[in-house]
């Protein structure tokens, strides 16, 4: 069972064990400066090919010629180059020798990332051998050839199957040979041994630049192990280094965290794999449909051509028959003009008639025919033309059209119009087609909920219009939307993804109340009761004319026609940017009764704590247990009181949002004000939810408030105290 699991695990990582150059399992892999791995022989091959291409280009091209990209070498090519290299390095050959097949160039393109890497002065000798990867490859080889035994290196023929390999002796042993060569009580008895293997690695990693020194530090700049000489006087003298144990601990922790993160995202990976599988199926299906449609289009053209061909050939054949008939008839007539033939022969026989009356009877008609035949001889004209020039088909234009047959212009990528999109109890997503683009026949809108812990699959809905309403979305959640168009089997690319957030609570439905506290002289309510406008009319002008000293006029209040006694609720509205002073929020029926029924001293702004004037005293006397909350808006600004908890930052004066939302949590006694476009909290505060709470609005001077359109009408009775 354990061996089976090992085989499955190793098989799943096979792609990580293949050299990007030779496409085979790594053999003595080396770590390049770009941190990719490559076989030792493949490095030599690439260096030789780079050198050869450099020599050729230097002789046949200018200095500005493009660089030749080297292809991955094959195993046969590697072996041939190694053999040829050994021949070139043998004595007796002319020219310079290359010691150990060492190329003259030290840079080439990494087959893994295609970036140029420079091996430096030491070339291949300066690269580390990746013993860890080599060990994993060997485990893979062993799993792949589990039935193939590794024989003992010390047995006399016939050799026995080995049972262990000594990492110090670099050899494999059977049990008997291992005991003989590692006697008890000797140094060899302390050798490290593993299971049978053909890959041996040194017990200590040596520095490639200082071959007698062990690596004991890690360069954080170059990201490679170094020895103390490299740090003292080598290329890493001015680099930041750390101890090997510290580097081991740090890198192992990072790798462990990375692996843990990937494992924790297994469901997300599976979802993405499922999405890719779906895309593969869609690609196969769409490709087959495209081929069928192309075949159908060409067969349609073939049928049209066949029909036209039959028509044209039939027309030519009919014209040919008609002409031949006319010409043959004309020819027969002319043949009759010959002696003893036809008309002439007949006339000659008539002349032999001696009876005068009989001759006269037919002579006149015969004379007429002879006269016409004589005239036809003078004006000879064939009865039909032999040419068929008018039946020659000009297909030059059609040939050009057929040669220009191409795929139809692809559908342009739709663009989601965020200005028209809205998110409340339902989401309305709108999109546009770019100008001068072919329109799509249908669209598929895809959306998914954004979850930090899980990557959810896309849901899709189909529509023929450029907008769609989505229901049953979770509250206080972010959703990602994208759309693509379809025309037949052709589809457009996905639009750019747009993220929209749902309201923090269920949408509360109400309209403006046209009875309780409604001031008809100053406020104008629309017929639908979803818009209220403050009008500075004549009564306000006359009232100001009678005042000789400074005076503060009163706010005109209007409330919603529905009260709240429990739960969380959210509503949204827009305010005309040119409104002078508007207050929005919530109030209890008790406080509303005080505002509407008790007389006030209009000469002092200090009468009402929340009068709308930023005098500073409001912040000092603020009481969190008040049964009302009103936010001040005016002159394109949104004002946050000092005593409130700001959600958007420390700024007290914010630009007026296009749409404002209010969220009341009756049970917790909290009210929050939002930018309803992106559902961003501007600030929130405590409120004493005693009795029935109502959406409240107040206006002063010119102003306009409009409830969002798709908040539906829902009328409830008022509290009896009001």
């Amino acid at each position: 069972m354990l061996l089976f699991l090992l085989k499955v695990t190793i098989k799943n990582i096979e792609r990580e064990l293949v050299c990007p150059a030779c496409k085979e399992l790594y053999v003595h892999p080396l770590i390049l400066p770009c941190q990719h791995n490559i076989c030792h022989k493949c490095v030599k091959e690439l260096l030789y090919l780079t050198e050869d291409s450099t020599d050729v280009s230097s002789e046949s091209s200018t200095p500005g010629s493009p660089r030749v990209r080297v292809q991955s070498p094959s195993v046969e090519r590697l072996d041939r180059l190694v053999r040829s290299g050994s021949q070139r390095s043998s004595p007796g050959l002319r020219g310079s020798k290359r010691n150990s097949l060492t190329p003259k160039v030290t840079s080439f393109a990494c087959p893994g990332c295609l970036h140029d890497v420079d091996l430096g002065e030491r070339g291949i000798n300066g690269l580390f051998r990746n013993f860890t990867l080599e060990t994993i490859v060997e485990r893979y080889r062993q799993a792949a050839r589990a039935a193939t035994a590794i024989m003992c290196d010390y047995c006399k023929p016939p050799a026995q199957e080995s049972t262990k390999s000594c990492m110090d002796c670099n050899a494999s042993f059977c049990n008997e040979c291992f005991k003989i060569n590692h006697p008890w009580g000797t140094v060899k008895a302390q050798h490290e041994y593993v299971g049978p293997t053909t890959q041996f690695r040194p017990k200590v990693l040596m520095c490639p630049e200082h071959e007698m020194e062990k690596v004991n530090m890690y360069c954080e700049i170059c990201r490679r192990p170094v020895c103390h000489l490299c740090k003292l006087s080598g290329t890493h003298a001015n680099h930041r280094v750390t101890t090997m144990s510290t580097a081991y601990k740090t890198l192992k922790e990072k790798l462990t965290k990375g692996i843990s993160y990937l494992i924790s995202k297994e469901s997300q990976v599976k979802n993405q794999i499922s999405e890719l599988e779906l895309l593969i199926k869609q690609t196969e299906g769409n490709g087959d449909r495209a081929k069928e449609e192309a075949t159908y289009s060409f067969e349609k053209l073939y049928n049209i051509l066949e029909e036209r061909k039959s028509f044209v050939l039939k027309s030519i054949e009919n014209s040919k028959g008609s002409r031949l008939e006319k010409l043959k008839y004309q020819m027969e007539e002319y043949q009759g003009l010959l002696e003893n033939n036809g008309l002439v022969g007949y006339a000659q026989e008539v002349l032999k008639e001696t009876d005068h009356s009989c001759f006269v009877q037919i002579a006149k008609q015969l004379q007429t025919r002879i006269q016409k035949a004589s005239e036809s001889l003078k004006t000879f004209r064939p009865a039909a033309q032999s040419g068929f020039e008018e039946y020659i088909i000009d297909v030059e234009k059609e040939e050009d059209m057929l040669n220009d047959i191409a795929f139809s212009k692809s559908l342009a990528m739709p663009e989601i119009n965020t200005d028209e999109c809205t998110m409340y109890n339902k989401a309305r997503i709108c999109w546009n087609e770019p100008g001068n683009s072919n329109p799509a026949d249908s669209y598929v809108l895809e959306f998914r909920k954004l979850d930090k812990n899980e990557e959810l699959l896309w849901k899709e809905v189909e529509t023929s219009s450029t907008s769609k309403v989505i229901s049953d979305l979770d509250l206080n959640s972010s959703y990602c939307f994208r759309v693509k168009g379809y025309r037949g089997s052709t589809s457009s690319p996905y639009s750019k993804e747009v993220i929209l957030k749902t309201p923090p609570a269920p949408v509360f439905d109400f309209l403006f109340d046209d009875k309780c506290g409604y001031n008809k002289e100053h406020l104008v309510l629309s017929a639908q009761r979803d818009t209220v406008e403050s009008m500075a009319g004549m009564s306000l002008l006359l009232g100001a004319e009678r005042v000789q000293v400074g005076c503060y006029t009163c706010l005109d209040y209007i409330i919603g026609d529905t009260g709240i006694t429990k739960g969380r609720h959210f509503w949204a509205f827009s305010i005309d940017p040119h409104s002078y002073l508007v207050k929005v929020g919530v109030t209890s029926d008790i406080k509303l009764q005080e505002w509407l029924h008790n007389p006030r001293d209009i000469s002092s702004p200090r009468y009402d704590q929340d009068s709308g004037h930023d005098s500073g005293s409001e912040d000092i006397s603020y009481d969190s247990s008040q049964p009302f909350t009103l936010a001040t808006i005016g002159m394109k600004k949104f004002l946050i009181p000092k005593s409130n908890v700001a959600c958007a930052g420390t700024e007290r004066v914010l630009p007026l949002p296009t749409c404002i939302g209010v969220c009341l949590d009756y049970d917790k006694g909290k009210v929050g004000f939002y930018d309803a476009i992106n559902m961003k909290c501007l600030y929130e505060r405590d409120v004493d939810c005693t009795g029935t709470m109502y959406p409240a609005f107040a206006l002063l001077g010119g102003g306009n408030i409009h409830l969002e359109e798709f908040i539906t009408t829902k009328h409830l009775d008022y509290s009896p105290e009001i």
Side-chain angles (χ1 to χ4, degrees):
M1 182 65 181
L2 181 61
L3 179 60
F4 172 75
L5 293 176
L6 176 62
K7 289 181 179 180
V8 173
T9 304
I10 292 295
K11 182 176 178 58
N12 291 337
I13 65 171
E14 180 178 354
R15 59 180 297 177
E16 302 293 334
L17 310 180
V18 175
C19 173
C22 63
K23 307 302 180 185
E24 300 290 342
L25 292 177
Y26 284 108
V27 178
H28 303 307
L30 301 177
I31 304 176
L32 297 177
C34 60
Q35 302 302 309
H36 289 104
N37 297 283
I38 188 172
C39 295
H40 182 271
K41 290 199 299 183
C42 293
V43 176
K44 288 187 176 182
E45 165 70 6
L46 291 174
L47 289 174
Y48 282 137
L49 291 178
T50 306
E51 180 180 341
D52 293 341
S53 63
T54 304
D55 294 340
V56 172
S57 62
S58 63
E59 295 175 2
S60 59
S61 63
T62 61
S65 61
R67 183 173 180 178
V68 179
R69 181 63 67 190
V70 181
Q71 296 182 350
S72 299
S74 63
V75 177
E76 292 79 4
R77 170 72 172 160
L78 287 170
D79 295 338
R80 183 171 59 81
L81 282 176
V82 171
R83 290 195 298 269
S84 62
S86 62
Q87 293 174 0
R88 289 195 299 266
S89 63
S90 61
L93 294 177
R94 293 184 179 181
S96 61
K97 295 189 294 182
R98 296 181 179 177
N99 186 22
S100 301
L101 301 179
T102 302
K104 291 186 292 187
V105 297
T106 60
S107 63
F108 61 93
C110 170
C113 61
L114 300 182
H115 289 99
D116 292 335
V117 292
D118 190 351
L119 305 185
E121 297 179 357
R122 292 181 57 80
I124 298 177
N125 296 330
L127 298 177
F128 276 106
R129 186 170 161 188
N130 194 336
F131 292 108
T132 302
L133 177 58
E134 196 169 333
T135 302
I136 297 174
V137 171
E138 176 58 21
R139 286 204 293 264
Y140 174 80
R141 292 184 190 274
Q142 290 180 2
R145 61 175 186 235
T148 303
I150 299 176
M151 309 309 293
C152 177
D153 296 327
Y154 283 79
C155 277
K156 294 180 180 180
Q160 300 295 319
E161 182 178 346
S162 64
T163 57
K164 54 180 66 70
S165 296
C166 180
M167 303 305 292
D168 295 276
C169 300
N170 291 345
S172 297
F173 300 88
C174 63
N175 287 332
E176 294 299 327
C177 292
F178 186 81
K179 293 178 181 178
I180 295 172
N181 291 273
H182 299 80
W184 182 260
T186 64
V187 177
K188 286 189 175 182
Q190 305 299 323
H191 284 187
E192 178 185 358
Y193 62 90
V194 295
T197 181
T198 58
Q199 299 292 327
F200 300 95
R201 53 186 285 185
K203 301 185 67 175
V204 179
L205 195 63
M206 307 302 290
C207 178
E209 297 186 15
H210 308 93
E211 299 177 355
M212 302 303 295
E213 298 294 333
K214 301 177 183 178
V215 293
N216 53 7
M217 290 181 286
Y218 181 79
C219 179
E220 297 181 354
I221 304 299
C222 302
R223 296 183 298 174
R224 60 178 293 174
V226 295
C227 68
H228 69 283
L229 293 180
C230 293
K231 175 59 179 174
L232 291 177
S233 58
T235 56
H236 307 273
N238 297 322
H239 292 181
R240 185 174 65 254
V241 299
T242 184
T243 62
M244 192 62 69
S245 59
T246 303
Y248 170 82
K249 182 179 179 181
T250 302
L251 295 177
K252 190 169 185 178
E253 287 179 355
K254 290 183 179 179
L255 184 59
T256 303
K257 288 181 180 178
I259 295 173
S260 300
Y261 175 79
L262 292 178
I263 294 176
S264 66
K265 294 295 181 180
E266 182 176 357
S267 59
Q268 178 179 343
V269 174
K270 289 181 179 179
N271 290 338
Q272 293 174 349
I273 291 174
S274 300
E275 186 174 345
L276 291 174
E277 290 176 347
L278 178 61
L279 288 176
I280 290 174
K281 291 181 180 179
Q282 291 177 347
T283 302
E284 292 175 348
N286 292 337
D288 293 339
R289 282 194 294 271
K291 288 175 62 177
E292 291 175 359
E293 291 190 3
T295 302
Y296 173 76
S297 298
F298 278 100
E299 288 179 350
K300 198 167 164 185
L301 291 177
Y302 297 154
N303 294 334
I304 294 174
L305 289 174
E306 286 294 334
E307 291 178 1
R308 295 302 297 171
K309 177 183 176 182
S310 299
F311 172 78
V312 170
L313 293 180
K314 186 176 181 180
S315 299
I316 294 175
E317 189 65 28
N318 292 338
S319 178
K320 172 186 171 183
S322 175
R323 294 184 189 190
L324 289 175
E325 185 179 354
K326 291 179 181 179
L327 290 173
K328 287 179 180 180
Y329 178 79
Q330 188 180 22
M331 185 178 67
E332 290 176 356
E333 287 186 345
Y334 274 85
Q335 286 177 346
L337 301 180
L338 298 177
E339 186 177 1
N340 300 322
N341 288 322
L343 179 62
V344 175
Y346 174 69
Q348 288 176 343
E349 293 296 327
V350 171
L351 289 176
K352 295 178 181 180
E353 178 65 49
T354 57
D355 189 295
H356 291 183
S357 58
C358 291
F359 178 82
V360 171
Q361 184 180 8
I362 61 174
K364 182 59 177 177
Q365 181 184 6
L366 186 59
Q367 175 61 29
T368 303
R369 292 179 62 188
I370 293 295
Q371 186 176 359
K372 288 182 179 180
S374 300
E375 291 176 356
S376 66
L377 291 176
K378 297 177 183 178
T379 58
F380 174 74
R381 185 177 181 181
Q385 297 295 327
S386 62
F388 281 79
E389 290 81 4
E390 66 271 24
Y391 287 93
I392 295 177
I393 299 177
D394 182 12
V395 295
E396 182 177 356
K397 181 179 179 181
E398 286 73 13
E399 284 181 357
D400 292 339
M401 293 176 63
L402 289 174
N403 289 328
D404 291 338
I405 288 180
F407 299 109
S408 61
K409 188 176 180 181
S410 60
L411 294 175
M413 180 177 67
E415 299 176 357
I416 296 181
N417 190 339
T418 54
D419 293 335
E420 296 183 5
C421 294
T422 51
M423 285 281 278
Y424 289 99
N425 56 331
K426 297 181 181 180
R428 185 179 65 185
I429 309 301
C430 305
W431 57 90
N432 301 323
E433 289 284 358
N436 301 325
S437 63
N438 293 329
D441 297 333
S442 62
Y443 301 90
V444 172
L445 175 64
E446 296 186 0
F447 63 97
R448 66 178 177 185
K449 181 180 177 181
L450 299 181
D451 193 328
K452 296 181 180 179
N453 300 322
E454 187 177 0
E455 187 73 15
L456 300 178
L457 292 177
W458 291 92
K459 298 180 181 179
E460 59 181 39
V461 290
E462 188 173 352
T463 179
S464 57
S465 64
T466 56
S467 65
K468 186 67 178 178
V469 175
I470 307 297
S471 305
D472 302 325
L473 298 180
D474 295 338
L475 295 172
N476 199 25
S477 302
S478 295
Y479 282 84
C480 186
F481 296 87
R482 66 183 184 185
V483 66
K484 68 187 306 184
Y486 285 90
R487 187 174 66 243
S489 62
T490 306
S491 63
S492 70
Y494 280 109
S495 66
K496 293 183 179 179
E497 296 181 0
V498 172
I499 298 177
L500 300 175
K501 191 173 181 181
T502 56
V507 173
F508 183 58
D509 300 336
F510 68 92
L511 295 174
F512 288 121
D513 186 10
D514 58 352
K515 299 174 183 176
C516 178
Y518 174 57
N519 189 338
K520 296 182 179 180
E521 294 183 0
H522 295 169
L523 300 179
V524 177
L525 195 60
S526 64
Q528 296 79 15
R529 294 194 291 125
D530 60 352
T531 302
V532 63
E533 185 176 3
S534 173
M535 305 293 292
M538 182 60 68
S539 59
L540 182 62
L541 180 62
L542 293 176
E545 188 271 337
R546 292 192 297 269
V547 177
Q548 303 300 325
V549 294
C551 175
Y552 292 87
T553 58
C554 298
L555 293 168
D556 295 309
Y557 289 92
I558 189 170
I559 63 172
D561 61 357
T562 306
I564 299 172
T565 57
K566 64 179 179 179
R568 300 180 73 240
H569 303 275
F570 179 86
W571 59 91
F573 48 87
S574 57
I575 296 178
D576 189 336
H578 300 288
S579 300
Y580 175 69
L581 176 61
V582 176
K583 283 182 171 289
V584 297
V586 295
T587 184
S588 67
D589 50 0
I590 299 175
K591 187 65 177 180
L592 187 62
Q593 186 179 28
E594 177 185 338
W595 286 345
L596 299 180
H597 294 170
N598 293 347
R600 288 172 289 179
D601 181 7
I602 65 172
S603 64
S604 173
R606 298 294 187 266
Y607 174 79
D608 194 332
Q609 174 188 339
D610 199 64
S611 62
H613 300 274
D614 193 12
S615 62
S617 62
E618 300 175 8
D619 301 330
I620 299 174
S621 60
Y622 169 73
D623 182 6
S624 61
S625 62
Q626 292 186 106
F628 72 95
T629 292
L630 294 175
T632 303
I633 299 169
M635 302 177 68
K636 302 180 181 181
K637 301 297 181 182
F638 186 96
L639 281 72
I640 298 178
K642 292 180 181 179
S643 54
N644 293 319
V645 180
C647 299
T650 57
E651 293 291 332
R652 290 195 59 215
V653 180
L654 302 177
L656 177 64
T658 305
C659 186
I660 299 173
V662 177
C663 180
L664 174 64
D665 190 335
Y666 187 95
D667 300 330
K668 293 184 178 180
K670 286 187 176 294
V671 62
F673 294 83
Y674 287 76
D675 181 343
I677 299 299
N678 52 27
M679 296 300 166
K680 182 179 181 181
C681 179
L682 302 178
Y683 83 91
E684 65 177 8
R685 59 171 286 180
D686 297 330
V687 63
D688 181 14
C689 295
T690 302
T692 303
M693 304 296 290
Y694 289 89
F697 306 85
L699 300 93
L700 175 63
N704 182 290
I705 303 175
H706 175 71
L707 300 179
E708 282 307 294
E709 291 183 0
F710 74 93
I711 296 177
T712 58
T713 304
K714 184 178 179 183
H715 182 81
L716 294 179
D717 294 333
Y718 309 110
S719 175
E721 290 81 8
I722 300 179

